[in-house]
Amino acid sequence: MLVSQIIRNKAQQGVVTLQPGTTLGEAAKLLSEKRIGAVVVSPDGAKVAGILSERDIVRVIGQRGAAVLSESVDTVMTRNVFGCKPDDNADLILQTMTQKRFRHLPVMEGEKMIALISIGDVVAARLAELELEKDALTGMIMGY
Ligand code: AMP
């Protein structure tokens, strides 16, 4: 299964992004309202400046207290963001996410982000695929 197949249903939804300079408090509000675990920091919705996950927010609050929520996302976000391409294989990106211990990957067309996939999206797509394979095998064995 390819990344392009996983993002087909998500593509219309667009990607939730935050402008650089947004406060961590506003970022936490956005994650809560949208019920998501990470947000890409981008000046224009396409270029990736960084990624901020709920784990980053929890970590800095744990280290420095809740006053940190009035500071900018820029100092806390991860700047070295790994991305994937639409024609990457889903198994490969699951491996990357597991090895590198993050759950989100921007899907890039060159320098432009076209989608964001989470480990949950990949697992759900793989489970659906396995279910189809199971039905096909059952059909072959039972002769439907
Ligand atoms: P996550 O598991 O995605 O909530 O993120 C765990 C940590 O990895 C956080 O510090 C994120 O900022 C960072 N992170 C998340 N996604 C990526 C990514 N695609 N590339 C690099 N770092 C990431």
Side-chain angles (χ1 to χ4, degrees), residues 19-130:
Q19 289 281 330
T22 306
T23 66
L24 287 164
E26 286 172 278
K29 187 164 177 274
L30 184 76
L31 293 179
S32 157
E33 281 171 1
K34 301 277 184 191
R35 296 171 176 267
I36 53 177
V39 61
V40 169
V41 180
S42 168
D44 59 3
K47 185 178 176 296
V48 176
I51 190 162
L52 182 83
S53 133
E54 55 198 354
R55 290 195 183 174
D56 298 318
I57 299 176
V58 169
R59 191 186 66 245
V60 283
I61 292 176
Q63 288 168 347
R64 295 163 53 200
V68 81
L69 290 174
S70 59
E71 292 182 19
S72 156
V73 295
D74 299 39
T75 52
V76 175
M77 69 186 186
T78 303
R79 288 175 188 272
N80 185 18
V81 180
F82 281 83
C84 63
K85 296 194 291 287
D87 57 359
D88 281 343
N89 188 284
D91 289 339
L92 196 80
I93 66 162
L94 258 186
Q95 223 179 341
T96 304
M97 285 177 167
T98 307
Q99 277 168 1
K100 298 196 179 293
R101 295 182 170 277
F102 47 63
R103 298 166 293 178
H104 302 87
L105 271 186
V107 184
M108 306 298 294
E109 257 173 13
E111 292 295 294
K112 187 173 171 242
M113 175 177 58
I114 56 164
L116 182 79
I117 54 174
S118 71
I119 203 161
D121 296 329
V122 187
V123 170
R126 282 294 284 131
L127 284 177
E129 194 179 44
L130 287 172

